[in-house]
């Protein structure tokens, strides 16, 4: 006869094709695609990776 205990485990990863790039500037909410409202802006590139792992233990009764 089974004890009723169950153990589940999982491991996962997210794989991204390219590095993410961002370019942002200050804009007017009334015209977000128009000319910038100031010279303030930033840009960057970053590498993304994500891993996860989980374990679950349960008892049926």
């Amino acid at each position: 006869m089974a004890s009723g205990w169950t153990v589940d485990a999982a491991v996962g990863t997210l794989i991204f094709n390219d590095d993410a790039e961002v370019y942002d500037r200050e804009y007017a909410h009334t015209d977000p695609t128009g000319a910038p409202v100031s010279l303030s802006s930033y840009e960057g590139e970053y590498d993304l990776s994500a891993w996860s792992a989980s374990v679950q233990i349960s008892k049926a009764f």
Side-chain angles (χ1 to χ4, degrees):
M1 183 154 87
S3 66
W5 288 98
T6 303
V7 177
D8 298 306
V11 176
T13 184
L14 294 175
I15 300 171
F16 299 94
N17 288 336
D18 298 318
D19 291 338
E21 295 180 4
V22 63
Y23 174 76
D24 204 358
R25 61 180 173 76
E26 187 177 0
Y27 60 90
H29 289 282
T30 56
D31 186 16
T33 60
V37 295
S38 75
L39 297 177
S40 299
S41 67
Y42 66 90
E43 59 184 278
E45 183 177 312
Y46 50 96
D47 183 28
L48 296 172
S49 64
W51 286 89
S52 65
S54 64
V55 175
Q56 173 182 310
I57 300 172
S58 60
K59 169 76 170 145
F61 47 108

